[in-house]
Amino acid sequence: MKLASLKSTSRDGALIIVSQDLKTAVSAKAIAPTLQFALENWTECTPKLKALSDKLNSKTAVEIFSFDETKCASPLPRAYQWVDGSAYVNHVELVRKARGAEMPESFWTDPLMYQGGSDSFLGPRDPIALENDSTWGIDFESEVAVITDDVPMGISPEKAEAHIKLLLLVNDVSLRGLIPGELAKGFGFFQGKPSSSFSPVAVTPDELGSDWKDTKIHLPLHTTLNGKKFGEPDAGVDMVFNFARLISHAAKTRPLSAGTIIGSGTVSNVDRSKGSSCLAEKRMLEKLEFGEPKTSFLKFGDRVRIEMFDRKQHSIFGAIEQEVKPYHPPR
């Protein structure tokens, strides 16, 4: 089943069901007005949503309309909680080197995670609007993520998988020029992590078939920058902590409410031929090879596209495609 949220007068959007080929859709308002409502009432809503999804895919549903990704908000336009892990430890090691920080050995055995802002997610085609493109170091981070239902505190990884209800893609925008100063204060990210954006569509794990295994997505994540291939690392390779482990880690001392989004961190492979999923990683690799980075961070007018395809090269989640634009704050 594939779900999306159309932009509407509601801050939480309007829930729709999308066909498997991403070409058509149908309103789900008679079952659940928003995705958050569906997640909070998942047991009751799922059979009805699935029945309507089956009718949509068999073209027997009524009031079917063409699906337009540009009209979508993120599946959850805002969420009660957004936490991002760093499951690809290879990436963590490289980015820490870029800012002159050594990586503790414990990072290979204990997940790294931060809590991000979740009150103002960008839509998948919304611009990345920021004041400064010269010193802030604007970077994209291509990731995969899960959305949970209510998760009990202290849950084990073995039991956490049952709480994964939806999968989606993320662009976790980072401001590399601001992050080192923030971390030096010893209190974590804030200004260095502006609004993230998510794929137009979130899908139930069964949509991936055998490519969803061990709570990992075993498919390449494709990123292009200004129309040119930037990276296609496999999300199932070199993921040290799977999603079940990340959920268990997040829920160690607190329950997680329905609608919690947990990100994988930047997808990264040890095999460098697969490219990268962020500029900071590529810049560090260039520094190691050439003595200095050759790739610049994002500038106004740059466009990033993030997408994942199934084995038949059909888009699964739709595409995140964003242009970096100047923002002029009120004075």
Side-chain angles (χ1 to χ4, degrees):
M1 184 166 58
K2 299 193 174 189
L3 303 174
S5 294
L6 292 181
K7 292 181 177 181
S8 71
T9 55
S10 165
R11 292 191 182 194
D12 296 304
L15 183 63
I16 61 171
I17 300 171
V18 182
S19 61
Q20 288 180 315
D21 61 8
L22 304 184
K23 291 182 178 179
T24 58
V26 65
S27 171
K29 65 181 179 181
I31 302 168
T34 67
L35 181 55
Q36 182 63 39
F37 180 95
L39 289 161
E40 291 175 358
N41 301 276
W42 193 253
T43 300
E44 178 185 351
C45 289
T46 300
K48 299 174 184 177
L49 291 170
K50 180 65 168 61
L52 185 52
S53 176
D54 290 342
K55 288 183 178 180
L56 172 64
N57 285 303
S58 65
K59 298 180 174 57
T60 58
V62 297
E63 298 184 356
I64 295 174
F65 56 89
S66 296
F67 178 57
D68 185 351
E69 295 182 17
T70 66
K71 294 182 179 179
C72 288
S74 284
L76 284 173
R78 56 180 177 170
Y80 287 111
Q81 183 157 229
W82 153 237
V83 293
D84 200 17
S86 286
Y88 301 89
V89 182
N90 161 72
H91 164 78
V92 181
E93 187 171 33
L94 284 170
V95 173
R96 285 179 70 89
K97 280 183 180 179
R99 61 174 188 261
E102 291 297 319
M103 190 183 78
E105 281 298 316
S106 63
F107 282 19
W108 291 97
T109 56
D110 190 34
L112 188 66
M113 186 171 283
Y114 84 92
Q115 188 172 45
S118 59
D119 57 327
S120 61
F121 292 143
L122 299 175
R125 303 300 173 87
D126 290 346
I128 301 168
L130 295 165
E131 281 187 74
N132 183 309
D133 71 340
S134 60
T135 62
W136 283 6
I138 306 168
D139 200 355
F140 57 86
E141 292 192 58
S142 305
E143 307 184 13
V144 291
V146 299
I147 305 177
T148 73
D149 62 0
D150 289 306
V151 180
M153 180 170 65
I155 196 166
S156 67
E158 291 74 23
K159 292 185 177 180
E161 180 176 4
H163 293 279
I164 298 172
K165 300 307 175 187
L166 295 167
L167 315 174
L168 66 171
L169 308 181
V170 191
N171 181 12
D172 182 40
V173 180
S174 291
L175 304 180
R176 304 295 185 186
L178 301 184
I179 286 174
E182 284 199 296
L183 296 184
K185 296 177 181 179
F187 218 50
F189 300 118
F190 194 84
Q191 291 178 340
K193 287 290 188 178
S195 298
S196 298
S197 57
F198 294 82
S199 53
V201 173
V203 311
T204 49
D206 60 288
E207 289 287 335
L208 272 68
S210 61
D211 292 317
W212 173 251
K213 183 173 61 176
D214 189 29
T215 65
K216 300 178 184 180
I217 301 176
H218 294 265
L219 289 167
L221 181 59
H222 296 260
T223 304
T224 62
L225 177 58
N226 296 324
K228 297 180 180 179
K229 184 172 77 171
F230 189 87
E232 51 183 12
D234 193 307
V237 175
D238 302 316
M239 189 181 191
V240 176
F241 307 108
N242 63 12
F243 279 113
R245 179 73 186 281
L246 293 177
I247 292 169
S248 176
H249 182 83
K252 182 175 181 177
T253 60
R254 69 184 79 177
L256 307 179
S257 295
T260 292
I261 308 174
I262 297 183
S264 65
T266 306
V267 177
S268 178
N269 288 170
V270 174
D271 181 358
R272 302 300 177 212
S273 69
K274 301 300 182 182
S276 298
S277 295
C278 74
L279 291 163
E281 183 176 296
K282 184 174 182 180
R283 283 168 56 87
M284 188 60 217
L285 291 170
E286 290 171 344
K287 185 176 180 179
L288 292 172
E289 183 175 357
F290 305 114
E292 62 180 5
K294 295 181 177 294
T295 300
S296 63
F297 287 116
L298 296 174
K299 301 294 184 184
F300 296 144
D302 285 340
R303 184 176 289 271
V304 178
R305 185 179 177 97
I306 302 167
E307 197 165 11
M308 182 175 278
F309 303 90
D310 64 18
R311 301 291 173 176
K312 295 181 179 179
Q313 294 304 300
H314 298 142
S315 183
I316 300 170
F317 305 93
I320 299 171
E321 186 169 357
Q322 298 177 281
E323 182 180 347
V324 183
K325 292 187 175 182
Y327 172 71
H328 304 288
R331 298 297 187 189

